[in-house]
CSV table of all heavy atoms in Angstrom, one decimal:
chain,number,residue,atom,x,y,z
A,1,MET,N,0.8,-1.2,0.0
A,1,MET,CA,0.0,0.0,0.0
A,1,MET,C,0.9,1.2,0.0
A,1,MET,O,1.9,1.3,0.7
A,1,MET,CB,-0.9,0.0,1.2
A,1,MET,CG,-1.9,1.2,1.3
A,1,MET,SD,-3.0,1.1,2.7
A,1,MET,CE,-3.8,2.6,2.6
A,95,LEU,N,-10.2,50.1,-11.7
A,95,LEU,CA,-8.9,50.0,-12.3
A,95,LEU,C,-8.7,48.8,-13.2
A,95,LEU,O,-9.2,47.7,-12.8
A,95,LEU,CB,-7.8,50.0,-11.3
A,95,LEU,CG,-6.3,50.1,-11.7
A,95,LEU,CD1,-6.1,51.4,-12.5
A,95,LEU,CD2,-5.4,50.1,-10.5
A,237,LYS,N,3.8,50.5,-20.7
A,237,LYS,CA,4.8,50.0,-21.6
A,237,LYS,C,4.3,49.6,-23.0
A,237,LYS,O,5.0,49.2,-23.9
A,237,LYS,CB,5.5,48.8,-21.0
A,237,LYS,CG,6.2,49.2,-19.6
A,237,LYS,CD,6.7,47.9,-18.9
A,237,LYS,CE,7.2,48.3,-17.6
A,237,LYS,NZ,7.6,47.0,-16.8
A,272,PRO,N,-21.6,32.3,-21.1
A,272,PRO,CA,-21.7,33.5,-20.3
A,272,PRO,C,-22.6,34.5,-21.1
A,272,PRO,O,-22.3,34.8,-22.2
A,272,PRO,CB,-20.3,34.0,-20.1
A,272,PRO,CG,-19.5,33.4,-21.3
A,272,PRO,CD,-20.2,32.1,-21.6
A,349,THR,N,-25.1,26.3,-4.8
A,349,THR,CA,-26.0,26.4,-3.7
A,349,THR,C,-25.8,25.3,-2.7
A,349,THR,O,-26.4,25.3,-1.6
A,349,THR,CB,-27.5,26.4,-4.1
A,349,THR,OG1,-27.8,25.2,-4.8
A,349,THR,CG2,-27.8,27.6,-5.0
A,430,ARG,N,-24.7,44.7,-9.4
A,430,ARG,CA,-25.1,43.6,-8.4
A,430,ARG,C,-25.0,44.1,-7.0
A,430,ARG,O,-25.6,43.5,-6.1
A,430,ARG,CB,-24.3,42.4,-8.7
A,430,ARG,CG,-24.5,41.7,-10.0
A,430,ARG,CD,-23.8,40.4,-10.0
A,430,ARG,NE,-23.6,39.8,-11.4
A,430,ARG,CZ,-24.5,39.0,-12.0
A,430,ARG,NH1,-25.7,38.8,-11.3
A,430,ARG,NH2,-24.3,38.5,-13.2
A,453,VAL,N,-7.5,37.4,11.0
A,453,VAL,CA,-7.3,36.0,10.6
A,453,VAL,C,-5.8,35.6,10.4
A,453,VAL,O,-5.5,34.5,10.2
A,453,VAL,CB,-8.1,35.7,9.4
A,453,VAL,CG1,-9.6,35.9,9.6
A,453,VAL,CG2,-7.6,36.4,8.1
A,514,ASN,N,-18.6,72.5,-7.8
A,514,ASN,CA,-17.4,72.8,-8.6
A,514,ASN,C,-16.1,73.0,-7.7
A,514,ASN,O,-15.1,73.5,-8.2
A,514,ASN,CB,-17.6,74.1,-9.4
A,514,ASN,CG,-18.8,74.0,-10.3
A,514,ASN,OD1,-19.0,73.0,-11.0
A,514,ASN,ND2,-19.6,75.0,-10.4
A,574,THR,N,-41.8,20.8,8.6
A,574,THR,CA,-42.8,20.6,9.6
A,574,THR,C,-43.5,22.0,10.1
A,574,THR,O,-44.3,22.0,10.9
A,574,THR,CB,-42.2,19.9,10.8
A,574,THR,OG1,-41.2,20.8,11.4
A,574,THR,CG2,-41.7,18.6,10.5
A,586,LEU,N,-35.9,26.9,0.9
A,586,LEU,CA,-35.2,27.1,2.2
A,586,LEU,C,-34.5,25.8,2.6
A,586,LEU,O,-33.4,25.9,3.2
A,586,LEU,CB,-36.2,27.6,3.2
A,586,LEU,CG,-36.8,29.0,3.1
A,586,LEU,CD1,-38.1,29.2,3.9
A,586,LEU,CD2,-35.7,30.0,3.4
A,608,ILE,N,-41.0,35.3,4.5
A,608,ILE,CA,-40.0,35.8,5.5
A,608,ILE,C,-40.7,36.3,6.8
A,608,ILE,O,-40.2,36.1,7.9
A,608,ILE,CB,-39.2,37.0,4.8
A,608,ILE,CG1,-38.4,36.5,3.7
A,608,ILE,CG2,-38.3,37.7,5.8
A,608,ILE,CD1,-37.4,35.4,4.0
Side-chain angles (χ1 to χ4, degrees):
M1 183 178 176
L95 188 59
K237 299 173 185 174
T349 61
R430 297 190 192 273
V453 300
N514 301 319
T574 61
L586 289 164
I608 293 300

